[in-house]
Structure formats: structure tokens, C-alpha cells
Amino acid sequence: MGHPAPKIAVIDGIADEIAGVLGASLIETVDHADELSFTVARDELVAAMTALRDKAQYQQLMEVAGVDYPERPDRFEVCYHLLSVTRNHRIRVKVSTDEDTPVPSVTGIWPVAGWLEREVFDMYGVVFSGNTDLRRILTDYGFKGHPQRKDFPLTGYVELRYSEEDKRVVYEPVRLAQDFRSFDFMSPWEGAQYVLPGDEKAAQAPGAPSPAPAPPPPPAPPKGEPAAPKPKVTEKPSDTGAGEPANSEAAKKSARAPRKPKAETATGEGAAVPEKPKRTRKPKTEGGA
């Protein structure tokens, strides 16, 4: 069974061809795992994209994504994924920027870039000059910050809730109901090395308590002393334990009780005597015959 991803043809010499098309705007070329990435100058992005569409036959813009590298001076990379339908080939074009410097918009080349650039702006805060509708698209209108940045806190800055007093949705600073609990990934059977909330009231050592031992068996009576009375058991049906009148009634044999087999019979010792078949009357015929 083949890989579910579409197979991309490997074209010999395509990297040198695209490098010639980009010209002086090309900064770096990376060929890794049959994927080509071209880093171009930020100010030359629109001209480079136009050349790739018109001269290199990369007609479609498939995706615009962002990457955050906080340790770099230009911490953000904006990645454009292009597809050539005629060549069945994909390439990646990248530009770098910081928090304040805008990136030229490519909405004049591919109108679909308007939505894609809004996503990068919403998640990373990258500004695109020339985009006439640069608003948030994934987060809420009152959201503060950009959640895909590496320095963005997991809890965010503001929270949204419905206020019964104001009868509307309000934004408030995040208030945590309890402190973050530290997890040490220790096996629970070994017992924690610290006191959990609520356990300080229990007077026991940290960790799971040991199970209570089983009670010892009762000691045997010493020699010479009478043994415990033997429990009463029923040896025969007449011993009902309800007195003599009940025992007399239980000793009586019912008329419907089966007969006890004889000791010796024609069919063998202890075999039951077969019952005699009942005699059936013949039906009368016409004429009294």
C-alpha cells in the first residue's frame, strides 16, 4: 500500500532553475528530503512571487504559515507553499521579520492570501502591508496576545464569561482557582515524598498505609476440659426440631410417596419394579359389536 500523501515528482536541476528565476532576491536554498525551500529578501517578496508564478509555472498558493524563533533578531518566519499544477511539484518560499516590521502582502497575486495572512497575523502578530482586511480570524475580537508565540502563557491573559449582573459577555483578567500542581511522575505505589492538600490532618507517615493484619485463630481448649457442644444436625426427616407432634406427622408416609424398590428383582438387585400398564377399553362400534 502506498503512502496516502500525493507523490511529488523530483525534477532534476529544478533548484538551479528557480535560483536563476529569483535572481538577486534569493538568500538561501535548502534541499532536504525532496523538499526545496528558498529564503528571499523581505522587500523583494512580491517580485519573487510574481516571477515564480509567471516564469516557473507555480500557479497556486496553497498555504501561508508562521514559525517563531524567539532567540533570533528576526524571530518570525513566514512560509509560503506554492504548487505547480503543470509540473506536479511543490516548493516553499520563506521570509523573515520581527514584531514591528511588516511583510508585503501577496493578495494582489493570489486573492486567497487575504485569509491566510489573517491567520498568521492572528496567531503570531505579523503585520502584512497591503492587506486591506487584516483582522483576527481564529480568536475572539477581545482576545489579547498571539497564542502561537513561544512566550505566550498557556492560560492566556483574559478570559470570557457571561455576567448575570450585566446581562452580557464580559472580559476579565485570568484568575486561577488554584495553583498549578507540580507533578513528579513518581509511581503512586511508591508513595509521594510530600504532603498532599488535606493529608496534613492524618497522623501517618507519607505514602499508602499498610493493610491491617488478619486476626489470629482461636486457641484450642486445654486437655481435660469439655469440648464445645456439637451442633445439632438432622439425621432423618422426622427430626424437625419443632417437638413431638411435628415429628409424628413427619414420620407418617404419604400415600403418594414412591414405593421402595425390592432388594432382589428380575431386572437386578435394587431395581425399581415397573408399574403395570393401565387397561384401556375398546371403543364400541355400531350395532353393539
Side-chain angles (χ1 to χ4, degrees), residues 26 39 46 73 94 115 117 141-142 150 213 235 245 258 280:
L26 179 62
T39 303
V46 176
K94 300 188 296 183
W115 293 81
E117 290 173 355
Y141 294 109
K150 297 292 181 62
E235 300 291 348
T280 58

Side-chain angles (χ1 to χ4, degrees), residues 202-277:
Q204 64 179 10
S210 301
K223 295 182 179 181
E225 294 186 4
K230 185 179 180 181
K232 183 180 179 181
V233 295
T234 303
E235 300 291 348
K236 51 186 177 179
S238 62
D239 296 339
T240 62
E244 184 61 29
N247 294 342
S248 301
E249 292 295 330
K252 295 180 181 180
K253 190 174 183 179
S254 176
R256 296 185 178 182
R259 293 183 298 171
K260 187 177 182 181
K262 295 181 179 180
E264 294 182 1
T265 60
T267 57
E269 183 179 354
V273 178
E275 296 182 358
K276 295 182 180 180

Side-chain angles (χ1 to χ4, degrees), residues 81-155:
H81 297 262
L82 306 182
L83 169 65
S84 174
V85 180
T86 55
R87 289 185 167 189
N88 186 26
H89 193 259
R90 297 172 185 260
I91 60 173
R92 181 185 300 110
V93 180
K94 300 188 296 183
V95 296
S96 299
T97 187
D98 55 16
E99 301 180 10
D100 302 323
T101 306
V103 176
S105 175
V106 294
T107 52
I109 307 173
W110 295 288
V112 69
W115 293 81
L116 304 177
E117 290 173 355
R118 285 179 60 181
E119 292 183 5
V120 177
F121 165 74
D122 193 359
M123 295 291 103
Y124 296 92
V126 177
V127 181
F128 293 89
S129 61
N131 191 319
T132 58
D133 190 19
L134 198 62
R135 298 175 296 160
R136 291 187 180 272
I137 190 174
L138 298 178
T139 58
D140 197 27
Y141 294 109
F143 194 86
K144 180 181 178 182
H146 305 280
Q148 288 293 347
R149 291 187 177 185
K150 297 292 181 62
D151 53 1
F152 185 81
L154 296 179
T155 57

